[in-house]
Amino acid sequence: MAKKKFYVVWQGREPGVYTSWDDCKKQIDGFSAAKYKSFPSMEEAEQAFKQSAETFIQRKPGGAKTKKTSSGTGTPVWKSISVDAACSGNPGVMEYQGVVTTTKQQLFIQKYPLGTNNIGEFLAIVHGLAYLKKINSKLPMYTDSRTALAWVKKKKCGSKLERNAKTESLFQLVDRAEAWLKSNTWETEILKWDTKGWGEIPADFGRK
């Protein structure tokens, strides 16, 4: 009997850890920039997902060469959009935006009186997906948040922020985002921005 494998998709339609090849294949099939690898245990797969794909994937002899940065990672897909969030306090005043990766031209921005950075990152990705689908664009999208990527994969915001009178309006938006994820499909590649290798994501608010 074949041993069970667990699959990590670093770059695909929905990055994450998958427990079957069929589920993994759905994320990478026909996806030119896909990065994925199998592991013998869920623990190893989950640990690998938290790290860079280049730590586990080596270029095969005769394969296409990839440009390298000082950190050893490949260069970004510049023809893309980027999203990011910022929060003054956590929780605090929160905003997110989407920009053209090369020019930093702002495509959308939203601001809320109370939220968290992770919720902002999650809403930014969903807004980006909806935006690209609306304009019928197949551009990939970058985020620097693994947490938000995991929430999008599950189609569920995992924030522990208390839902009360002060946060109700924000959570209504979260509800709408979750409903959008569950009722829509998309072809957008959601990619993880390599902050260590490339610097801050172009959508960064510059408030660190």
Side-chain angles (χ1 to χ4, degrees):
M1 183 177 178
K3 293 184 179 179
K4 183 174 179 58
K5 292 183 178 181
F6 300 85
Y7 301 86
V8 175
V9 177
W10 289 278
Q11 289 188 185
R13 292 181 179 83
E14 293 185 38
V17 178
Y18 293 88
T19 57
S20 74
W21 169 243
D22 286 342
D23 288 341
C24 175
K25 188 177 180 181
K26 291 177 183 177
Q27 313 311 318
I28 63 174
D29 197 24
F31 193 98
S32 60
K35 293 183 179 179
Y36 61 98
K37 184 177 175 65
S38 65
F39 293 86
S41 71
M42 175 62 81
E43 181 179 4
E44 290 178 75
E46 291 178 337
Q47 287 299 315
F49 182 56
K50 297 177 182 178
Q51 302 178 56
S52 170
E54 283 72 17
T55 304
F56 302 91
I57 300 175
Q58 297 181 347
R59 182 171 61 86
K60 296 180 180 180
K65 294 182 178 180
T66 303
K67 294 181 180 179
K68 300 292 180 179
T69 64
S70 58
S71 69
T73 58
T75 54
V77 179
W78 290 113
K79 194 173 182 180
S80 60
I81 74 168
S82 299
V83 298
D84 197 25
C87 197
S88 300
N90 204 28
V93 176
M94 179 272 287
E95 57 189 321
Y96 69 77
Q97 66 178 345
V99 306
V100 176
T101 300
T102 49
T103 65
K104 298 185 181 181
Q105 174 190 347
Q106 194 175 77
L107 301 172
F108 54 82
I109 185 169
Q110 295 290 335
K111 188 172 184 177
Y112 307 96
L114 187 63
T116 67
N117 195 69
N118 283 337
I119 290 177
E121 300 275 12
F122 172 75
L123 292 174
I125 294 176
V126 180
H127 194 147
L129 290 173
Y131 170 82
L132 291 171
K133 183 169 184 175
K134 183 177 180 179
I135 66 173
N136 196 30
S137 171
K138 294 186 179 180
L139 289 177
M141 174 172 52
Y142 276 106
T143 175
D144 61 6
S145 174
R146 289 193 182 279
T147 298
L149 277 171
W151 290 357
V152 170
K153 174 184 175 296
K154 295 177 182 178
K155 302 181 180 181
K156 179 71 176 177
C157 175
S159 176
K160 297 187 183 302
L161 180 66
E162 182 182 356
R163 187 165 188 164
N164 54 36
K166 292 182 178 180
T167 60
E168 179 59 29
S169 60
L170 176 66
F171 275 102
Q172 288 179 8
L173 294 170
V174 170
D175 291 342
R176 286 172 55 189
E178 292 175 344
W180 189 93
L181 291 172
K182 293 172 183 176
S183 61
N184 285 271
T185 59
W186 57 89
E187 297 183 12
T188 301
E189 301 178 35
I190 309 174
L191 308 176
K192 175 66 174 63
W193 183 264
D194 180 9
T195 304
K196 183 178 180 181
W198 305 333
E200 295 296 342
I201 192 167
D204 182 66
F205 283 86
R207 298 175 187 166
K208 295 179 177 61

